[in-house]
């Protein structure tokens, strides 16, 4: 906005460049086996107007639009994808290292503590 951005060629950033493929169907699938930081970034990257991150309880789909990354959440061993608590802000889901709070989602089901999401 201030007009102070300096242009750089791709080779200045990395000599080989950076290449990505287009997203395809199924790429929106959440992987609870990842650390909380990666889950948080994935949801941020794919939230609306994108397709939204998606997971399932059995055959029932849940579209997740926003999660809170809880930097002070303890690291512990558990079952990734398990609903570990519910509160007024949303629900907590175990990740590979700790947990995240899901605060914006869309689903035709009501989750309860103990449910496991894939």
């Amino acid at each position: 906005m201030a007009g102070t951005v300096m242009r750089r060629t791709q080779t200045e950033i990395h000599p080989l460049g950076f290449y990505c493929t287009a997203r395809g169907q199924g790429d929106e699938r959440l992987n609870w086996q990842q650390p909380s930081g990666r889950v948080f970034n994935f949801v941020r990257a794919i939230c609306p107007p994108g397709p939204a991150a998606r997971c399932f309880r059995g055959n029932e789909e849940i579209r997740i639009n926003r999660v809170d990354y809880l930097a002070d959440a303890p690291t512990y061993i558990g079952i990734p994808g398990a609903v570990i608590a519910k509160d007024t802000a949303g629900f907590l889901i175990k990740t590979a290292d700790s947990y995240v709070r899901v605060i914006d989602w869309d689903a035709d089901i009501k989750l309860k503590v103990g449910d496991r999401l894939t």
Side-chain angles (χ1 to χ4, degrees):
M1 290 176 57
T4 58
V5 175
M6 300 295 292
R7 291 181 184 229
R8 293 172 61 187
T9 64
Q10 179 69 40
T11 54
E12 287 181 81
I13 298 167
H14 193 279
L16 297 179
F18 185 79
Y19 302 92
C20 297
T21 61
R23 287 197 186 274
Q25 188 166 358
D27 289 346
E28 69 280 2
R29 206 55 202 275
L30 249 168
N31 180 357
W32 298 110
Q33 304 277 344
Q34 294 184 332
S36 294
R38 291 194 92 177
V39 169
F40 172 76
N41 286 331
F42 180 79
V43 172
R44 278 185 37 199
I46 202 162
C47 69
R54 296 168 191 245
C55 60
F56 293 84
R57 183 187 73 182
N59 292 328
E60 300 162 307
E61 183 180 71
I62 303 161
R63 292 162 302 287
I64 297 179
N65 301 313
R66 189 168 166 213
V67 301
D68 275 341
Y69 174 70
L70 307 167
D72 295 333
T75 299
Y76 67 98
I77 296 171
I79 299 166
V83 178
I84 56 176
K86 291 177 72 177
D87 60 23
T88 57
F91 51 93
L92 302 177
I93 304 289
K94 175 70 177 96
T95 61
D97 58 349
S98 60
Y99 51 87
V100 295
R101 176 179 285 118
V102 176
I103 57 173
D104 184 5
W105 70 96
D106 183 28
D108 295 329
I109 59 173
K110 187 169 185 163
L111 293 173
K112 61 185 183 304
V113 173
D115 282 346
R116 295 187 183 177
L117 309 180
T118 58

